[in-house]
Amino acid sequence: MKRWGPPIALWLVSGAVLSAFTSRVVDWFVMTDELLYERLALSVDRLHSPVPHVHGAVVGSINQLYPLLLAPFFASGTVASGLQRAHVLNAFVITSASIPAYLLALRVSRTVWTSAVAAALTAIVPWVALSSFLLTEVAAYPAFVWALLAFHVTLTKPSPRNDALAGIALIVAIVARTQFVVLALALPVAILLAGRWRAHRALGAAYAVGLVLALVVIATGHSPLGTYGSTTSGNLLPASVVPAFFAHLSVVAFGLGLVPFLVGGAWLVRREPFAVLASVTIVLLTLEVASYDERFGGGIVRDRYIFYLAPLLAVAFAAALAAGERPSWTLAVPFGVVVLGVAANPMPVFDKFNVDTPVAILNGYLRREVGGLSGARAALIVLTLLAAVLVVEALLLFRRAAVVALAACALLLVTAETGYAFVRLFRINGTAGRPLTQDESGVLSWIDRTAGRGADVTLVPFPTIPGQYEASGAFWWDAEFWNASASASAGVPGEFEWTPSTFPKLALRFDRDGGANVTRPGLVVQAVADTRFHIAGSVVTNNRGVFLVRPEQPWRADWTTAGLYEDGWTKPGAVAHVRIYPYPGQDRPVLRQVSVYAFNPEGVSERRLIVGGKSTVVRDNEASVTTDVCVRPRSYGVVDVRAGGQSQIPSDLRSGATVTEPRTGGLLISRVYLSGQIGAPC
């Protein structure tokens, strides 16, 4: 207990302090990541299965550790209360990485106080601000450090038991975050470099079993990496990875307060088991992340994916402080890495806290105050040189006092940077357009309040704000995120899919009688402005421009349209059609009454709307035309819709790829309304 007391105490204190900040966040910030992990957590409770499900279907998400931790906190109450509990949990989970960091530092440095420094640095790095959100990094951070601790144990004391523990820790790390599959390479490489591979036969057998399982998965047409399988396509190591490699490490250096990177990095240049293990891990993980960022991340340094290196450098820093050695040429290695990295870092500026690169909070100030990108780079290089000189002088002149001063300096710098990260996080509205500390769940959870948390509700996404792709997407993200009952999504494939393929969607089609190809139990949420089709049923409530509908069983459409743009605009010179389907049991031709509503494009003072044989002039406000149509049994009635003119209209909102494409059209058909009354025979 004497060994475990200090790290547990430090963890509880740091977790409590961090939770005071994370618990202030009462909204989502990272879409669709947070929505995915919330849905995975809810599915564990709803289906009583640890297998990842979204919308009732199994998905290839390997990152299941964090959703499993979240599940009990979302199992009851409102989504808002679950989110509040999750943010408190996050603070204690992410800071728990300080425990294995302390134990690892104690194994390497053999000194309690330096081990406490390593643990404290691990718990207060600016990346702990990520615990304000529902992200796998929260669980992956401690899982990574536990894995490295297990690796070090088996590397220094080989035995079948320790090999088994290392294997289990590796599996847990990969289940925490798929990118840690790179650790499966780091461990054997470290063992080979340490020259102890003959002592790890049990580990070799486990790797052989793992390889066979991976080959079986590949043979079945799946990827062992699940949803991340696509990241292995193409050239894994383009030439641009080399400068990106150094840029990524330099960002970690500044996020860690620079001093631990310089001192710890210099200590790692030796053939000591931890130094070998840490160096191999640093190189492989940095290459992996740099490759991903260059191929899929737009060349931006996304330190969110690499901050796991911070505890390794903190442990090395602790070992260097404990050794109290005089500085040597090895300091040139981390110094050179930082300088090369600064020269290659594009240092992007963001208006608000950027989850992918929390350390970028410093970029705006530097580029603004010291002469743009070139000035910022020069300032950071000078700062690195100054830090290296001070480290050398301190260790040469005041060796004993210097180690304490360096530790205090590192802790103060990292604490200040983390504090500034939270200041930036709370300063500007979140990505939902709302203050992160303002609880809007009372308004946004209206589906659960009406239908009940345990209900089955299918969302049919459609733009709710004309011309606004992202705002419309946020509306449907809110609808799903804040309502546990929103358990499925349906629509036309390729249209208005604001969530990726990890969110399975029902592909809706309608036959000549209006019958749908799929039917689900429960209720349906459909936009009032959806002009593609209308699922027949009784309206339960209308909220913020959408209907909550109790659909007829089996599902059917009472009307559909053809010839319009998918988001409701009329096409230039084209005639659109509204098809009205017979009602169930209809045995004679009857008249049905249809109303079509429309708006003008911006800048158009008036334009004629023609519906069937009637018309009206659309001016400043929404206008409508109501007409009758004869609907026969086993067939559908048709009403023609035309616009008297054309001009530039907002871009196509079907997807993020089409939203920038210019187009022309006539009028925005804002609503189609079919009267429930059955007219006279026709």
Side-chain angles (χ1 to χ4, degrees), residues 478-567:
D478 276 332
E480 185 164 4
F481 184 84
W482 293 106
N483 296 279
S485 57
S487 55
S489 178
V492 179
E495 294 180 9
F496 317 121
E497 295 180 344
W498 284 283
T499 52
S501 58
T502 43
F503 292 79
K505 303 162 185 70
L506 299 172
L508 278 179
R509 297 186 302 276
F510 301 95
D511 60 26
R512 285 186 58 84
D513 296 323
N517 61 312
V518 295
T519 295
R520 290 195 78 247
L523 306 178
V524 170
V525 173
Q526 187 170 16
V528 174
D530 195 334
T531 51
R532 300 169 299 170
F533 54 83
H534 182 264
I535 297 175
S538 57
V539 175
V540 176
T541 188
N542 180 347
N543 187 288
R544 302 174 68 212
V546 297
F547 288 132
L548 180 62
V549 178
R550 180 169 286 105
E552 296 180 8
Q553 298 288 335
W555 284 7
R556 68 178 186 90
D558 48 19
W559 59 261
T560 63
T561 63
L564 294 172
Y565 283 117
E566 287 77 3
D567 54 353

Side-chain angles (χ1 to χ4, degrees), residues 426-615:
F426 293 126
R427 178 182 295 173
I428 302 176
N429 287 350
T431 51
R434 303 179 290 261
L436 283 174
T437 56
Q438 181 175 309
D439 186 1
E440 296 286 351
S441 62
V443 174
L444 300 173
S445 61
W446 65 275
I447 302 175
D448 276 2
R449 288 200 314 274
T450 305
R453 173 191 168 92
D456 276 310
V457 178
T458 303
L459 306 180
V460 183
F462 185 83
T464 53
I465 306 174
Q468 298 293 320
Y469 179 78
E470 292 184 356
S472 292
F475 177 93
W476 293 101
W477 290 337
D478 276 332
E480 185 164 4
F481 184 84
W482 293 106
N483 296 279
S485 57
S487 55
S489 178
V492 179
E495 294 180 9
F496 317 121
E497 295 180 344
W498 284 283
T499 52
S501 58
T502 43
F503 292 79
K505 303 162 185 70
L506 299 172
L508 278 179
R509 297 186 302 276
F510 301 95
D511 60 26
R512 285 186 58 84
D513 296 323
N517 61 312
V518 295
T519 295
R520 290 195 78 247
L523 306 178
V524 170
V525 173
Q526 187 170 16
V528 174
D530 195 334
T531 51
R532 300 169 299 170
F533 54 83
H534 182 264
I535 297 175
S538 57
V539 175
V540 176
T541 188
N542 180 347
N543 187 288
R544 302 174 68 212
V546 297
F547 288 132
L548 180 62
V549 178
R550 180 169 286 105
E552 296 180 8
Q553 298 288 335
W555 284 7
R556 68 178 186 90
D558 48 19
W559 59 261
T560 63
T561 63
L564 294 172
Y565 283 117
E566 287 77 3
D567 54 353
W569 288 91
T570 62
K571 296 180 178 179
V575 178
H577 311 286
V578 181
R579 296 170 177 169
I580 295 87
Y581 298 99
Y583 58 83
Q586 183 177 330
D587 58 2
R588 66 187 189 281
V590 295
L591 288 176
R592 301 295 301 275
Q593 189 179 78
V594 180
S595 299
V596 177
Y597 297 75
F599 282 107
N600 272 324
E602 186 177 352
V604 175
S605 59
E606 61 178 50
R607 183 163 290 167
R608 186 164 293 277
L609 168 66
I610 304 130
V611 179
K614 299 181 180 181
S615 69

Side-chain angles (χ1 to χ4, degrees), residues 403-430:
V403 294
V404 176
L406 290 175
C409 178
L411 292 170
L412 287 173
L413 287 174
V414 175
T415 300
E417 192 169 356
T418 302
Y420 183 57
F422 277 103
V423 169
R424 288 292 301 273
L425 176 63
F426 293 126
R427 178 182 295 173
I428 302 176
N429 287 350

Side-chain angles (χ1 to χ4, degrees), residues 243-548:
F245 174 88
F246 293 103
H248 280 72
L249 286 177
S250 70
V251 171
V252 173
F254 287 105
L256 195 54
L258 192 57
V259 172
F261 187 90
L262 293 175
V263 177
W267 184 89
L268 288 176
V269 186
R270 63 184 65 208
R271 289 190 60 82
E272 192 270 352
F274 175 75
V276 172
L277 175 62
S279 298
V280 168
T281 303
I282 289 170
V283 169
L284 290 178
L285 187 62
T286 307
L287 280 175
E288 179 192 46
V289 176
S291 172
Y292 177 86
D293 285 347
E294 287 300 300
R295 293 180 298 128
F296 303 103
I300 296 175
V301 176
R302 299 175 188 271
D303 44 283
R304 166 188 173 185
Y305 305 138
I306 198 175
F307 79 98
Y308 308 101
L309 300 181
L312 300 185
L313 292 159
V315 170
F317 179 55
L321 294 180
E325 299 172 352
R326 290 181 177 274
S328 70
W329 65 269
T330 57
L331 188 63
V333 176
F335 174 78
V337 167
V338 174
V339 170
L340 290 173
V342 169
N345 187 358
M347 297 185 67
V349 176
F350 304 98
D351 292 335
K352 63 183 68 176
F353 181 89
N354 188 289
V355 173
D356 284 343
T357 172
V359 177
I361 55 174
L362 303 174
N363 294 349
Y365 174 81
L366 290 171
R367 294 183 64 163
R368 183 175 61 253
E369 299 296 328
V370 292
L373 178 59
S374 298
R377 286 172 170 171
L380 290 179
I381 290 173
V382 170
L383 178 63
T384 305
L385 177 60
L386 179 62
V389 170
L390 290 176
V391 166
V392 170
E393 289 189 353
L395 291 176
L396 284 176
L397 301 177
F398 313 101
R399 191 184 308 177
R400 292 184 178 179
V403 294
V404 176
L406 290 175
C409 178
L411 292 170
L412 287 173
L413 287 174
V414 175
T415 300
E417 192 169 356
T418 302
Y420 183 57
F422 277 103
V423 169
R424 288 292 301 273
L425 176 63
F426 293 126
R427 178 182 295 173
I428 302 176
N429 287 350
T431 51
R434 303 179 290 261
L436 283 174
T437 56
Q438 181 175 309
D439 186 1
E440 296 286 351
S441 62
V443 174
L444 300 173
S445 61
W446 65 275
I447 302 175
D448 276 2
R449 288 200 314 274
T450 305
R453 173 191 168 92
D456 276 310
V457 178
T458 303
L459 306 180
V460 183
F462 185 83
T464 53
I465 306 174
Q468 298 293 320
Y469 179 78
E470 292 184 356
S472 292
F475 177 93
W476 293 101
W477 290 337
D478 276 332
E480 185 164 4
F481 184 84
W482 293 106
N483 296 279
S485 57
S487 55
S489 178
V492 179
E495 294 180 9
F496 317 121
E497 295 180 344
W498 284 283
T499 52
S501 58
T502 43
F503 292 79
K505 303 162 185 70
L506 299 172
L508 278 179
R509 297 186 302 276
F510 301 95
D511 60 26
R512 285 186 58 84
D513 296 323
N517 61 312
V518 295
T519 295
R520 290 195 78 247
L523 306 178
V524 170
V525 173
Q526 187 170 16
V528 174
D530 195 334
T531 51
R532 300 169 299 170
F533 54 83
H534 182 264
I535 297 175
S538 57
V539 175
V540 176
T541 188
N542 180 347
N543 187 288
R544 302 174 68 212
V546 297
F547 288 132
L548 180 62

Side-chain angles (χ1 to χ4, degrees), residues 17-285:
V17 172
L18 182 59
S19 68
F21 295 94
T22 60
S23 61
R24 293 180 60 196
V25 178
V26 293
D27 206 345
W28 56 261
F29 191 83
V30 189
M31 281 292 173
T32 52
D33 295 39
E34 291 194 78
L35 178 59
L36 173 62
Y37 300 122
E38 179 218 47
R39 293 292 110 178
L40 290 170
L42 287 170
S43 76
V44 172
D45 174 60
R46 183 181 285 257
L47 302 176
H48 305 292
S49 170
V51 178
H53 287 77
V54 176
H55 294 170
V58 176
V59 295
S61 176
I62 298 175
N63 305 332
Q64 189 65 357
L65 178 61
Y66 183 57
L68 288 171
L69 293 176
L70 285 182
F73 296 87
F74 280 96
S76 61
T78 64
V79 169
S81 62
L83 184 67
Q84 185 79 3
R85 293 190 292 261
H87 285 160
V88 174
L89 168 73
N90 284 356
F92 285 94
V93 171
I94 200 167
T95 55
S96 71
S98 60
I99 296 176
Y102 176 90
L103 298 175
L104 186 54
L106 192 61
R107 290 178 59 85
V108 177
S109 71
R110 308 291 182 182
T111 306
V112 170
W113 81 268
T114 58
S115 301
V117 170
L121 285 173
T122 298
I124 63 173
V125 289
W127 298 284
V128 297
L130 296 175
S131 59
S132 304
F133 322 117
L134 304 182
L135 296 173
T136 57
E137 283 81 358
V138 172
Y141 190 49
F144 178 89
V145 189
W146 279 111
L148 268 292
L149 173 61
F151 289 1
H152 187 257
V153 170
T154 198
L155 190 64
T156 54
K157 296 182 178 180
S159 71
R161 173 183 174 276
N162 289 342
D163 279 357
L165 290 175
I168 292 171
L170 173 61
I171 292 171
V172 171
I174 294 173
V175 173
R177 190 158 178 85
T178 311
Q179 77 172 99
F180 292 159
V181 70
V182 73
L183 295 180
L185 179 60
L187 178 57
V189 170
I191 290 172
L192 288 173
L193 291 177
R196 303 184 179 186
W197 60 274
R198 294 181 183 275
H200 296 278
R201 292 186 176 88
L203 191 63
Y207 267 67
V209 172
L211 179 60
V212 170
L213 292 175
L215 292 174
V216 170
V217 171
I218 294 172
T220 61
H222 297 84
S223 171
L225 301 180
T227 54
Y228 289 91
S230 60
T231 62
T232 60
S233 61
N235 180 10
L236 298 181
L237 295 175
S240 59
V241 164
V242 175
F245 174 88
F246 293 103
H248 280 72
L249 286 177
S250 70
V251 171
V252 173
F254 287 105
L256 195 54
L258 192 57
V259 172
F261 187 90
L262 293 175
V263 177
W267 184 89
L268 288 176
V269 186
R270 63 184 65 208
R271 289 190 60 82
E272 192 270 352
F274 175 75
V276 172
L277 175 62
S279 298
V280 168
T281 303
I282 289 170
V283 169
L284 290 178
L285 187 62

